[in-house]
Amino acid sequence: TSPPFSQAADVVAPTLASIAASQTSIGAATLSVTYSEPMKSTTACGSTGTPLVGPGSGIDYKGDYTVGGATGGPDPSALQTALQASSSATVTGDCKSITFNLSGNFTAGNYQLTVTTAQDVAGNSIGSATMTFAFGDTSSTSALIRRTTGHGHANGIIIAIVIVPYILSTSFHTA
């Protein structure tokens, strides 16, 4: 006989739920990936550890992640290099998310992240999943300047577009 309450086996593959990335300070950034369900991890849920090179079945295998360019986005190579060099990552208590701590300064804009091989706790593989995400504030003037030059330094034309309307609106008022 079977037990009075039985739970069906999980046969549904996990999906990417969200990705968030930001520059946390000069020279430091984070990349957080959230899945649709609890995932396998060699780092204990709710703790910080060293991500493994991989590829492997846990969400803490950095070799399972590839940062690529989105249409119109900045060059992804610096962000990809930093992700693969990451030496610290935190897995949430529910094992649905991981945050990689990255070293470097990165250009704001849209990127794509592809995840392969990662498995949920039942062993279902994500296969290969890609999601576009925004790094930093992509709507502000400062992000526009950083995206345009790729180095956070603006040329005179962009500065003129931002400053000239301000000068015109403040300089010609009479008492």
Side-chain angles (χ1 to χ4, degrees):
T1 64
S2 63
F5 299 101
S6 62
Q7 189 172 6
D10 176 6
V11 294
V12 178
T15 60
L16 289 172
S18 66
I19 300 170
S22 64
Q23 196 77 41
T24 55
S25 64
I26 295 174
T30 58
L31 175 65
S32 299
V33 182
T34 301
Y35 295 87
S36 59
E37 59 185 296
M39 302 294 286
K40 286 184 177 179
S41 176
T42 59
T43 301
C45 299
S47 64
T48 300
T50 302
L52 303 172
V53 175
S57 60
I59 61 172
D60 53 347
Y61 281 88
K62 57 191 174 184
D64 292 344
Y65 298 87
T66 303
V67 178
T71 302
D75 180 353
S77 59
L79 195 53
Q80 172 65 15
T81 298
L83 175 59
Q84 296 309 312
S86 176
S87 61
S88 173
T90 302
V91 177
T92 56
D94 63 3
C95 272
K96 286 185 175 184
S97 299
I98 185 165
T99 299
F100 293 96
N101 298 304
L102 311 176
S103 295
N105 296 306
F106 307 100
T107 304
N110 292 320
Y111 295 85
Q112 287 188 329
L113 183 72
T114 299
V115 180
T116 58
T117 316
Q119 296 179 359
D120 64 19
V121 293
N124 301 306
S125 175
I126 197 166
S128 179
T130 300
M131 182 179 277
T132 299
F133 67 97
F135 184 93
D137 182 1
T138 59
S139 63
S140 72
T141 302
S142 61
L144 173 64
I145 292 169
R146 285 192 305 272
R147 277 190 306 214
T148 303
T149 65
H151 302 290
H153 303 288
N155 59 33
I157 295 170
I158 301 264
I159 294 293
I161 292 169
V162 175
I163 294 175
V164 169
Y166 176 75
I167 293 170
L168 292 175
S169 68
T170 59
S171 297
F172 297 104
H173 294 283
T174 57

